Amino acid sequence: MLVVLLLSACTGRVMPPAPAEIAQPMDVYLVDHGRHSSLVLPREEGGMVRYSYGEWRWYVEGQRHFLSGAAALLLPTASALGRGIHEDVTGPGDFSRMAPEGLVRTYPLQAEAGRVRELRRSLDRHFEGDAESVYSEEFGLHFVPHPRAYWAVHQSNLVAAGWLRQLDIDVRGIPWYSRWRIESSREDP
């Protein structure tokens, strides 16, 4: 219980690159749903795509009781990658349609366009395999199995922080409980 309390107090400090460091800036969005986070990226074809990572039984099968939650944190369990493509969403004002489970806060960030495209392609490859996706109306996402197990040291917010790092956005601290603080760009001394 003490570990959970300590982790819940942890904050992820997000430090985007300075605007001068980004040759081709592209808007990306970190979305806080309260206990978990998603990443929203623009699509080249127009619209936006939302990605979310979570525990398979919890998000896909709806097993949300104490034992299931405890097992998901303490033992490596099956994980899921969720994707929701929204051709008609153009900006944060429309994000509530992308996240039926609700939004607490949206953090607009900028990253290098090439890195955004690379991350989106990497995440989309999970949906190109043989596994058939499972749609969750509750989350508005299609889920496929993810190869890396879910548990306390590899959960949704830590994965979202990893995605930000792939975009060359610095994340410090441990955003275990979806507590984010956007700090000034890295150009500051």
Side-chain angles (χ1 to χ4, degrees):
M1 186 64 133
L2 179 61
V3 171
V4 171
L5 288 173
L6 289 173
L7 288 174
S8 68
C10 295
T11 299
R13 294 178 9 242
V14 179
M15 292 171 281
E21 294 177 9
I22 306 173
Q24 292 183 310
M26 185 174 280
D27 293 332
V28 300
Y29 304 89
L30 176 63
V31 180
D32 177 1
H33 303 280
R35 281 186 270 179
H36 75 280
S37 303
S38 295
L39 188 64
V40 176
L41 304 176
R43 298 176 66 232
E44 291 175 21
E45 308 88 339
M48 301 277 185
V49 59
R50 173 184 166 212
Y51 298 97
S52 190
Y53 173 86
E55 205 267 347
W56 186 270
R57 289 177 300 183
W58 187 273
Y59 287 106
V60 180
E61 297 176 3
Q63 296 181 25
R64 299 193 184 102
H65 48 81
F66 176 77
L67 290 178
S68 175
L73 290 176
L74 300 175
L75 304 168
T77 59
S79 62
L81 179 65
R83 176 179 72 176
I85 297 172
H86 298 270
E87 297 171 357
D88 60 339
V89 172
T90 58
D94 298 327
F95 284 3
S96 60
R97 291 186 294 157
M98 296 179 76
E101 75 271 31
L103 301 171
V104 172
R105 188 155 181 200
T106 299
Y107 300 95
L109 302 164
Q110 285 196 323
E112 185 67 48
R115 285 183 179 265
V116 175
R117 285 190 293 272
E118 185 179 311
L119 176 60
R120 195 178 56 236
R121 280 192 292 263
S122 171
L123 294 171
D124 285 343
R125 276 194 286 276
H126 293 282
F127 291 85
E128 296 167 1
D130 294 331
E132 193 169 325
S133 69
V134 177
Y135 182 71
S136 168
E137 195 167 317
E138 179 180 2
F139 295 102
L141 299 169
H142 290 270
F143 286 97
V144 293
H146 190 273
R148 186 152 175 210
Y150 181 99
W151 68 306
V153 297
H154 193 258
Q155 46 88 299
S156 62
N157 298 310
L158 300 177
V159 169
W163 293 339
L164 292 175
R165 289 182 185 105
Q166 289 179 50
L167 296 174
D168 196 32
I169 296 173
D170 194 14
V171 179
R172 296 184 185 167
I174 303 171
W176 197 82
Y177 197 65
S178 191
R179 294 178 194 254
W180 304 97
R181 186 173 69 219
I182 309 302
E183 296 187 354
S184 59
S185 60
R186 293 185 302 231
E187 72 180 1
D188 297 337

